[in-house]
Amino acid sequence: MTATSLHLELPTLTPEAETLRQEVRAFIAEERSSGRLPPPHRIGLGFDREMTKRIAAKGWIGLTWPRQYGGQERSALERYVMNEELLAAAVPVGAHWVADRQSGPVLLKFGTDEQRRFYLPKIAAGDLTFSIGMSEPESGSDLASLKARAEKVDGGWRINGRKIWTTNAHRAQYMIVLVRTSTVEGSRHAGLSQLIVDLAAPGVTISPIISMAGEHDFNEVLLEDVVVPDDALIGKEGNGWNQVSAELAYERSGPERWLSSFRLISELVDVLGPDARAASLEELGRLISHLLSLRQLSMSVASMIQQGQSPNVEASIVKDLGTKFEQEAVRVVRNIVSAEDLISNGRAERLKALLIHAQQYAPAFTIRGGTNEILRGIIARGIGLR
Ligand SMILES: Cc1cc2nc3c(=O)[nH]c(=O)nc-3n(C[C@H](O)[C@H](O)[C@H](O)COP(=O)(O)OP(=O)(O)OC[C@H]3O[C@@H](n4cnc5c(N)ncnc54)[C@H](O)[C@@H]3O)c2cc1C
């Protein structure tokens, strides 16, 4: 089998995207100066419903969606630029992140007009948080082996199963679950479906899982005879695998896959000042050049999405390289902090807090959204090596 080459074009940002960048920066500056956006002491997406409402008021949730569903009909590259600015400044966007990035786009692509009219304007208004119900205790990488099932009942579906690592389920109104609805001889991937579950419905039990950093972000969600109506089905019964594959491309290529450690790097630069050792500057320089090339790659994928393509392989490359970079950044910052003795004299409290949190959080970078081993399998298959 011959290897297929990948085609990545470097996009040029439009004047509209550059204008939006300035608008987002002005918003962030205003939020900081008003005290509503304190400098972060942790990495990762924070959760702040009020911030989400203020971002929604700007029209920045569902930015690319049709106006009839509450969107602004702007380009994927403009959305990219906006998110880059919000993430680099550590604006807490967790209350709308999943809904904006993947639940809304999945409804737009596969949902009925009725579903779009019901959910999308509420997401765009910053009123709805969605969570992702894919992983199960025995099914993570091998997602098609999942055990949660939904059986057809009069007027709807009855769901039984257990989902795990469900980020924000305790704060969300809805979860899109992937469940088995039929068995197709010879294909594990056929017969899976996506259903929208109201997390306040009878039979839903959400239990916290506390992370290594001592935080409650993810959960285990038990579904016991949860009945959802017929119109909770997204797309076609049995087509869930194809829908989820499209969804994961949105999840894998964005700036959140290489910017998680950015605040740590930027805080280090502030603390270091101009008198750092040559060896530290060299390490930092290498890190930042790596960051810039990842940015180009990630922008290329945004541009492919803009052109209506489904860049699954390219998105997997961004996530593999981006998340390794995020972990490498923590290691490099730790080395420089230690070599420069930046923390012992107490002049870098925020850097210290960020570094402690980043060290506890960093293992998750290469697991969430599909592990790097799995991504490399997808890449190998995509370029014809497997
Ligand atoms: C911070 C965080 C947030 C998350 N949020 C959500 C969420 O909101 N919703 C949700 O559904 N899930 C969520 N997840 C779960 C995540 O998608 C899974 O953890 C991930 O897909 C891996 O599955 P697993 O944990 O079952 O590991 P396993 O699949 O058991 O894998 C264990 C190890 O074996 C390796 N491995 C497995 N199969 C292969 C193979 N074929 N070849 C090579 N190596 C292999 C893996 O790479 C990994 O290193 C989240 C995870 C994290 C860390």
Side-chain angles (χ1 to χ4, degrees):
M1 192 176 278
T2 54
T4 317
S5 62
L6 287 166
H7 186 64
L8 284 166
E9 277 174 32
L10 292 185
T12 316
L13 289 178
T14 57
E16 289 79 10
E18 293 299 355
T19 304
L20 180 61
R21 187 188 296 285
Q22 296 315 318
E23 288 167 9
V24 179
R25 284 188 181 171
F27 169 79
I28 292 166
E30 166 64 23
E31 289 290 311
R32 282 248 196 274
S33 64
S34 67
R36 289 190 295 260
L37 181 63
H41 286 80
R42 67 187 291 278
I43 57 157
L45 303 180
F47 191 102
D48 179 344
R49 214 173 277 288
E50 292 308 312
M51 176 61 80
T52 279
K53 289 294 289 178
R54 291 199 290 279
I55 292 173
K58 289 281 183 188
W60 294 342
I61 303 179
L63 193 70
T64 60
W65 304 349
R67 285 189 188 277
Q68 67 181 119
Y69 302 125
Q72 304 289 326
E73 300 187 1
R74 304 203 46 180
S75 71
L77 276 171
E78 285 169 276
R79 178 174 178 275
Y80 174 91
V81 163
M82 172 192 73
N83 279 339
E84 191 174 67
E85 293 297 325
L86 293 173
L87 293 173
V91 177
V93 289
H96 64 272
W97 194 255
V98 162
D100 177 71
R101 178 184 67 187
Q102 63 195 89
S103 318
V106 159
L107 289 170
L108 208 49
K109 191 161 182 182
F110 302 104
T112 60
D113 189 48
E114 203 175 33
Q115 286 171 334
R116 293 174 192 160
R117 277 192 280 116
F118 181 79
Y119 293 104
L120 298 183
K122 295 185 182 70
I123 295 174
D127 290 333
L128 289 189
T129 298
F130 270 72
S131 56
I132 305 165
M134 294 191 197
S135 306
E136 296 184 6
E138 301 300 326
S139 300
S141 303
D142 185 15
L143 193 57
S145 69
L146 59 78
K147 305 233 172 27
R149 303 188 66 85
E151 54 175 325
K152 192 74 191 79
V153 292
D154 201 17
W157 298 88
R158 182 187 291 125
I159 310 172
N160 278 287
R162 189 185 290 272
K163 295 292 173 180
I164 198 168
W165 314 122
T166 327
T167 305
N168 287 331
H170 58 306
R171 300 161 169 146
Q173 289 92 342
Y174 295 102
M175 168 171 74
I176 297 182
V177 285
L178 184 68
V179 292
R180 183 157 293 286
T181 45
S182 54
T183 310
V184 178
E185 198 63 40
S187 171
R188 291 188 320 142
H189 295 130
L192 298 172
S193 302
Q194 286 186 298
L195 292 164
I196 306 168
V197 175
D198 179 342
L199 289 168
V204 177
T205 308
I206 301 170
S207 310
I209 300 176
I210 305 301
S211 71
M212 203 156 70
E215 291 163 331
H216 178 195
D217 287 331
F218 38 54
N219 303 274
E220 187 169 39
V221 182
L222 184 60
L223 303 157
E224 291 173 299
D225 289 330
V226 177
V227 177
V228 296
D230 276 329
D231 62 10
L233 177 70
I234 304 176
K236 287 200 200 83
E237 186 279 319
N239 190 42
W241 187 260
N242 293 332
Q243 296 174 197
V244 157
S245 302
E247 183 178 335
L248 287 171
Y250 309 135
E251 187 178 345
R252 287 178 174 159
S253 59
E256 74 271 32
R257 296 310 182 198
W258 48 275
L259 275 176
S260 306
S261 306
F262 182 76
R263 288 307 302 183
L264 188 62
I265 302 171
S266 102
E267 190 67 30
L268 174 70
V269 170
D270 287 351
V271 171
L272 260 185
D275 303 323
R277 302 165 189 212
S280 301
L281 293 177
E282 198 181 314
E283 276 203 276
L284 202 50
R286 195 175 301 123
L287 206 59
I288 287 169
S289 59
H290 196 163
L291 179 92
L292 292 176
S293 46
L294 278 166
R295 177 175 187 244
Q296 297 285 47
L297 211 54
S298 180
M299 271 169 56
S300 307
V301 177
S303 155
M304 291 171 84
I305 292 173
Q306 170 73 23
Q307 291 160 30
Q309 302 175 41
S310 294
N312 294 345
V313 176
E314 292 80 356
S316 299
I317 294 173
V318 173
K319 185 170 182 298
D320 178 48
L321 294 174
T323 54
K324 294 303 277 185
F325 165 80
E326 291 178 330
Q327 288 179 340
E328 172 71 0
V330 179
R331 192 189 63 77
V332 169
V333 171
R334 191 177 56 224
N335 282 353
I336 296 176
V337 159
S338 159
E340 303 273 348
D341 196 19
L342 292 178
I343 283 179
S344 58
N345 60 14
R347 69 185 167 99
E349 285 309 307
R350 195 158 59 231
L351 176 61
K352 180 179 171 186
L354 281 166
L355 184 55
I356 290 170
H357 191 250
Q359 293 203 133
Q360 291 168 332
Y361 202 87
F365 295 154
T366 51
I367 300 173
R368 57 184 179 180
T371 69
N372 287 36
E373 290 75 17
I374 296 305
L375 296 172
R376 287 172 199 175
I378 294 170
I379 297 164
R381 203 175 304 113
I383 59 175
L385 295 175
R386 209 178 151 205

